[in-house]
Amino acid sequence: LSQAYERRFPTCHLIPMFVDSEVLEETESEDGSMHQVQRRCKLDVDAPRLLKRIAGVDYVYFSQENTLNKRERTLHIESHNETFSNRVIIHELCSYSAHPENEDWTCFEQSASLDIKSFFGFESTVEKMAMKQYASSIKKGKEIIEFYLNQLEEEGISHVPRWTPSLDAPSSSVTTKPVCNSLNCVCVVDKLDADYIKRYLGDLTPLQESCLIRLRQWLQESHKGKIPKDEHILRFLRARDFNMEKAREILCQSLTWRKQHQVDYLLETWTSPQVLNDYYTGGWHHHDKEGRPLYILRLGQMDTKGLVRALGEESLLRHVLSINEEGLRRCEENTKVFGRPISCWTCLVDLEGLNMRHLWRPGVKALLRIIEVVEANYPETLGRLLILRAPRVFPVLWTLVSPFIDENTRKKFLIYAGNDYQGPGGLLDYIDKEVIPDFLGGECMCEVPEGGLVPKSLYRTAEELENEDISLWTETIYQSASVFKGAPHEVVIEIIDAASVITWDFDVCKGDVVFHLYHSKRAPQPPRKDPLVGQHSSITAPGGNNIQLIDKSWTLGLDYSMVESPLTCKEGESVQGSHVTRWPGFYILQWRFHTMPGSASTNLPRVDDVLASLQVSSHKCKVMYYTEVIGSEDFRLVSLEKGHSLTKLASLTLA
């Protein structure tokens, strides 16, 4: 089989997109048991000509490393993209191995991850193309191997002698099973393998496994292939006792929240202020007896008032979110290290020093806000909470915060007063003696900061903190809008140079909407303050996030025209698309309330519809959107006639 595989190089007529390859490095071990080849492969990706022109490339290059272990009878193949590696990350792992129970059989494993950070506004198009070509290559993989095996037989090569070691040959290393690591991981799997479940997910009943597969398939369809890993989906299912509808609702809300605030990139972009490094008394410290990452928080030594006055509520929240993201990463690492599923962590909270100053109202408010956000977006990530040296004031704090903590989470709390943690059923039952921190009587040096009072010179004014808080959470490029029955939300974009590209990316957070794109030579004017509309807005849209620009006196086909077919979008869907403009003027993006055909019996004027919608509170949708224009000077088009609308290139994604 390995000889058949080598015949795919330097090129393969059975893979039309595979243009050429070159060997960069080739090594072999002294005993001949290990053979490694590094190649650079040139691919002619089946992409629309227009997209290639915008990207500025005709070919893409991949790096590939093949490792043939003749001793273990395995062939390991790993590849990743070189082209656009700062925008798109593709990582593929394949392995061939001899079956452990029948050495004449060959086992094949394959996984791949796709992470698109940005691609000129065409992320969805690229994602769909990659999925399509990857699925095609999987189907052809067996066919290609069989072709070359038959070719070997036709040449009279029906048997290849196995490699045999010499008497003094050293033992070889053991290869590991490839794993998908990114949160937005695209895996081509039709069913869950029993070994995979045991290794990465833990014990699941047939019903639980079915719920996981069904929810993942729903996400695959509604989120256009970009879905979280199984472990992440499973947390939300467990948090709702495997109730599909409830789990789907909170998971979709969390995915929207992650996207809006770019939480997926938090570990890469968030840098803790120095005051947090000096005075925040928390940090990671080894792991517990079950292999769970261990986080230690010396809350009694923390100057919560000083941190809130110096940093503000939002900075503290973002820091806690970065801790949770780091916890997810450590769980993945420990799963590999211990060879069993590690899906949550243990938190040890030392309350020595807790007093009434910790009950400062703004500090408690910040704590409750943090608990609320973490509970909503990181369910079933806390395996156990050990609360040590709880003082007399603790019941007061517990009375304040416990109502905001999920009941299943509260069951994981173990509370020890005084030195009770040192006795039977205490700390030694959960943490190895060797890693108990020194400040709790152990011998392990703990690097968690000791805290202390934050100098008042670092305090900031309420105005400064408010401005800082706003800047933290307005870093998102997305805007939110409400859509009502009879009151669509509209965005106008002025285009001066024809052949510019308008791109959009939006999530339907609530309800169903219909998306339109119109063009007008006239500039739409914001409507005058109408008392009736104003009254409606004050009741159902307090944020003022509903804007209507198309005047009700305008006639479709005369004053403005439709340039894209209407697109119906369901709740929970994530939609991306783009349009190459053919004329200068004003383009209007519109999100309209989707009315079922059976109920659309009348065509009331806009104001009447607004008034009617007051009586039906359910006639409200929410969208979160982002638009961008790529100017004609940023790219060159060979023929607008061949591809005047990039939305058509993304039709597979939007279908």
Side-chain angles (χ1 to χ4, degrees), residues 466-494:
E466 182 179 358
N467 292 335
E468 177 72 14
D469 289 350
I470 291 173
S471 67
L472 276 173
W473 290 106
T474 54
E475 290 176 5
T476 173
I477 58 177
Y478 293 89
Q479 299 182 57
S480 298
S482 296
V483 180
F484 306 96
K485 184 178 181 181
H489 179 73
E490 295 165 346
V491 175
V492 64
I493 297 176
E494 183 178 5

Side-chain angles (χ1 to χ4, degrees), residues 372-526:
E372 180 184 24
V373 174
V374 171
E375 282 282 306
N377 298 285
Y378 300 93
E380 295 298 316
T381 53
L382 180 65
R384 183 179 292 113
L385 181 67
L386 303 170
I387 299 177
L388 276 54
R389 302 198 278 196
R392 292 182 178 180
V393 73
F394 173 72
V396 180
L397 179 62
W398 178 248
T399 301
L400 291 172
V401 302
S402 60
F404 295 87
I405 302 174
D406 182 76
E407 182 180 355
N408 290 332
T409 303
R410 290 201 301 267
K411 293 177 181 178
K412 301 172 183 177
F413 285 32
L414 296 174
I415 303 173
Y416 301 90
N419 293 324
D420 292 349
Y421 70 92
Q422 296 178 347
L427 206 54
L428 283 173
D429 285 9
Y430 306 103
I431 302 175
D432 288 327
K433 180 180 179 180
E434 294 77 15
V435 299
I436 293 180
D438 51 348
F439 61 85
L440 293 175
E443 299 178 356
C444 185
M445 294 297 296
C446 182
E447 297 181 357
V448 174
E450 296 182 359
L453 295 176
V454 177
K456 292 186 178 181
S457 60
L458 298 178
Y459 285 12
R460 304 170 71 179
T461 65
E463 183 179 355
E464 289 174 333
L465 290 176
E466 182 179 358
N467 292 335
E468 177 72 14
D469 289 350
I470 291 173
S471 67
L472 276 173
W473 290 106
T474 54
E475 290 176 5
T476 173
I477 58 177
Y478 293 89
Q479 299 182 57
S480 298
S482 296
V483 180
F484 306 96
K485 184 178 181 181
H489 179 73
E490 295 165 346
V491 175
V492 64
I493 297 176
E494 183 178 5
I495 297 296
I496 298 176
D497 297 329
S500 298
V501 178
I502 301 174
T503 69
W504 55 83
D505 179 352
F506 65 88
D507 289 347
V508 185
C509 306
K510 179 182 178 182
D512 300 342
V513 299
V514 181
F515 176 71
H516 296 264
L517 181 64
Y518 298 105
H519 171 263
S520 174
K521 295 180 180 179
R522 298 168 56 186
Q525 299 296 323

Side-chain angles (χ1 to χ4, degrees), residues 1-6 75 96-97 106-107 145 149 152 160:
L1 188 141
S2 63
Q3 287 200 14
Y5 178 79
E6 285 297 322
L75 174 61
Y96 295 88
S97 60
T106 299
C107 298
I145 285 293
L149 286 172
L152 286 169
V160 178

Side-chain angles (χ1 to χ4, degrees), residues 169 254 257 454:
S254 180
W257 171 81
V454 177

Side-chain angles (χ1 to χ4, degrees), residues 122 493 495 500-504 517 577-581 587-589 627-630 646-647:
F122 309 129
I493 297 176
I495 297 296
S500 298
V501 178
I502 301 174
T503 69
W504 55 83
L517 181 64
S578 41
H579 176 85
V580 179
T581 62
Y587 288 79
I588 304 167
L589 287 74
T627 64
E628 184 178 4
V629 177
I630 303 176
L646 282 184
T647 303

Side-chain angles (χ1 to χ4, degrees), residues 4 8 104 112 120 146 204 209 217 261 270 348 375 473-474 573 612:
R8 294 175 54 171
D104 293 329
F120 311 106
E146 288 179 341
L204 295 179
E209 181 182 342
Q217 288 175 341
H261 298 296
W270 167 250
L348 187 156
E375 282 282 306
W473 290 106
T474 54
E573 286 191 342

